[in-house]
Amino acid sequence: MENNRSSTLVYLGYVFLLLIMVFFGLKFQASLYLNSQETYKIFPYFLFKAIFPLIIGVYLAAPHLYKTFTKAGKWKVDWVKLIVVGLPFIYLSIVPILYFSEVIALNLPFSSYAMGGYFGGDASTSFGTINGIIAGYIVPSSIKK
């Protein structure tokens, strides 16, 4: 009974921290958006908009990371999962950063789609958020013992 109570408290704390992160992250993103409208400097907004979902994805993978660190054994990387699933989502989530840092133009595969509605792509603006969360989850969950 004590074990159930402590795991319930751990899960409640985990969810509470996730909600706090999302709440303050979205408030900060909104302030960056307003600042970008006033100053015409949109790179900080797009940088945060690309990195924040990655952080949320890594946080969602934290229970897996904890279980992996507490296991005994040799470290392994699931390269197939990382390359086949993770790499495309990482690419799609960092395209806005690459574009606004002038590293790439919008002529790479799927780059205009990854930019979303801002640049005439068919994707919604949440496309990058979904990609970032998936990428942030896949990368840490590819590490095993």
Side-chain angles (χ1 to χ4, degrees):
M1 184 63 122
E2 182 65 33
N3 192 20
N4 287 342
R5 191 174 306 162
S6 70
S7 67
T8 301
L9 289 174
V10 168
Y11 281 123
L12 284 173
Y14 175 77
V15 170
F16 181 73
L17 283 173
L18 177 64
L19 292 174
I20 295 270
M21 283 175 50
V22 168
F23 177 75
F24 285 111
L26 291 177
K27 281 186 78 102
F28 184 65
Q29 183 174 326
S31 70
L32 286 174
Y33 181 73
L34 290 174
N35 187 34
S36 70
Q37 287 179 330
E38 295 170 359
T39 62
Y40 300 105
K41 295 178 182 175
I42 58 176
F43 183 71
Y45 168 71
F46 276 102
L47 180 65
F48 184 79
K49 191 172 174 9
I51 290 176
F52 181 60
L54 290 169
I55 294 169
I56 295 295
V58 170
Y59 184 79
L60 291 174
H64 169 79
L65 286 173
Y66 176 75
K67 288 177 185 176
T68 302
F69 276 107
T70 57
K71 280 185 186 176
K74 292 180 100 177
W75 290 96
K76 300 174 190 169
V77 176
D78 186 352
W79 290 106
V80 174
K81 180 180 179 181
L82 187 62
I83 293 170
V84 172
V85 180
L87 200 58
F89 284 106
I90 291 169
Y91 168 74
L92 290 172
S93 65
I94 64 167
V95 162
I97 296 171
L98 297 175
Y99 177 74
F100 284 107
S101 62
E102 298 175 357
V103 173
I104 65 166
L106 281 179
N107 56 4
L108 287 175
F110 304 108
S111 58
S112 64
Y113 190 75
M115 292 298 288
Y118 302 111
F119 296 91
D122 293 332
S124 69
T125 56
S126 59
F127 185 72
T129 304
I130 294 167
N131 288 327
I133 291 172
I134 293 172
Y137 182 84
I138 292 293
V139 171
S141 67
S142 298
I143 301 169
K144 299 178 181 183
K145 275 192 181 178

